[in-house]
Amino acid sequence: APTAIQEGTHAGPGILITGHDLLDLSQLLQQVEGTGIKVYTHGEMLPAHMYPKLAEHPNLAGHFGDAWQKQRDDFRAFPGPVIGTTNCVRKNSM
């Protein structure tokens, strides 16, 4: 079923996670649980929002940016730290 996903960021601290490793995303969500830190997916991490266990986590705030080819601009525009999982980060993206 289609899943509605918030695009962009909200006020407050956030972390952007990119790549393919949903286990890394799950562990990050556990680590920020109970904090005001929002987690945003980027690029190929977008499908994470359709997995019920991940989507139900209150700190998973939405999706930020575009495809992996636009990492440089997206990472510079994001107002917080960026976590890269697997081999998803292009040379000179950060």
Side-chain angles (χ1 to χ4, degrees):
T3 302
I5 300 167
Q6 172 71 36
E7 292 187 65
T9 61
H10 304 281
I15 298 172
L16 184 64
I17 186 166
T18 190
H20 307 94
D21 197 326
L22 297 179
L23 179 58
D24 283 351
L25 173 60
S26 177
Q27 291 172 344
L28 176 61
L29 290 170
Q30 290 172 17
Q31 292 171 9
V32 300
E33 191 168 344
T35 70
I37 299 171
K38 297 166 184 68
V39 175
Y40 301 92
T41 58
H42 178 270
E44 287 78 15
M45 196 65 81
L46 177 63
H49 295 271
M50 70 177 207
Y51 291 95
K53 289 284 187 184
L54 296 172
E56 71 187 16
H57 199 285
N59 293 75
L60 185 60
H63 190 77
F64 179 86
D66 210 327
W68 65 270
Q69 297 93 330
K70 297 184 179 180
Q71 286 178 348
R72 181 175 295 140
D73 294 335
D74 291 344
F75 293 174
R76 286 181 182 155
F78 187 76
V82 177
I83 296 175
T85 70
T86 61
N87 61 344
C88 65
V89 179
R90 295 179 59 179
K91 183 178 179 180
N92 297 321
S93 289
M94 299 183 133

